Amino acid sequence: MPAQSKATLEQLLQHLGFPATVEEHHLEEGLLLDVKTEDSGRLIGRQGQTLSDLQYLVNRLLFQQDQTTPKVTVDIGGYRAQAREALVRKAKQAAEKVRRWGDVVELEPMNAFDRRVVHNALKDDPGVETHSVEVEGTDKKAVLLRPKH
């Protein structure tokens, strides 16, 4: 029996004291659970950190019930989709600077998910290559854009 993703998230939110409804969307890359709530700011948290933590907890709970269950993505009011679009825009603007001036551009430190979004957004750009680089004093890495030779 597959894990009940939607029910698990709804119960977790209820236990945490957040009245919310959860919509389930089946996408190519898996299951998206979109939370609708009046208190979205507190659930998203600073730079989406609380949302990431909530997603981690839901996936841990589901994995404990059924180790074959696919990972789910948790979003709140379309926050992840908007954040991804903004990140892609920022990556393309940085790539434009690299092409125009030939400079190396370093984006701010980000988590692995966000770095993958940037790498994928620019992977077909003939004039720019991307690399993840360590950032001292943090466990995150930054994406470096430089001209392709």
Side-chain angles (χ1 to χ4, degrees):
M1 180 187 98
Q4 301 301 314
S5 309
K6 181 177 185 247
T8 299
L9 178 55
E10 286 171 339
Q11 286 175 346
L12 181 59
L13 290 168
Q14 187 180 350
H15 286 304
L16 292 171
F18 288 97
T21 57
V22 176
E23 292 177 1
E24 208 172 54
H25 302 281
H26 296 273
L27 308 173
E28 280 177 33
E29 57 275 10
L31 185 65
L32 170 70
L33 298 176
D34 194 16
V35 178
K36 307 288 186 207
T37 178
E38 297 289 314
D39 211 356
S40 58
R42 282 184 47 218
L43 271 176
I44 292 168
R46 190 157 170 254
Q47 294 183 316
Q49 188 58 54
T50 307
L51 174 56
S52 294
D53 295 342
L54 183 64
Q55 178 174 299
Y56 172 78
L57 288 173
V58 168
N59 279 298
R60 285 297 303 163
L61 288 167
L62 293 171
F63 180 77
Q64 291 303 319
Q65 294 170 29
D66 175 3
Q67 295 181 355
T68 64
T69 192
K71 281 204 162 130
V72 299
T73 301
V74 177
D75 198 358
I76 297 173
Y79 172 83
R80 283 193 191 279
Q82 290 171 349
R84 173 186 251 156
E85 286 167 21
L87 196 54
V88 168
R89 270 196 309 277
K90 182 184 277 187
K92 290 189 173 178
Q93 288 166 348
E96 182 58 35
K97 275 186 196 160
V98 169
R99 279 194 302 276
R100 182 174 293 160
W101 308 111
D103 292 340
V104 172
V105 175
E106 183 175 323
L107 298 176
E108 75 278 358
M110 55 187 86
N111 63 35
F113 181 86
D114 289 345
R115 287 195 313 274
R116 193 166 63 246
V117 169
V118 171
H119 290 304
N120 283 334
L122 300 176
K123 73 177 188 288
D124 297 326
D125 190 312
V128 176
E129 60 185 26
T130 60
H131 301 276
S132 291
V133 293
E134 301 282 333
V135 177
E136 254 183 67
T138 175
D139 58 348
K140 295 181 176 178
K141 293 181 181 177
V143 177
L144 213 56
L145 287 75
R146 60 174 158 238
K148 226 181 237 180
H149 295 293

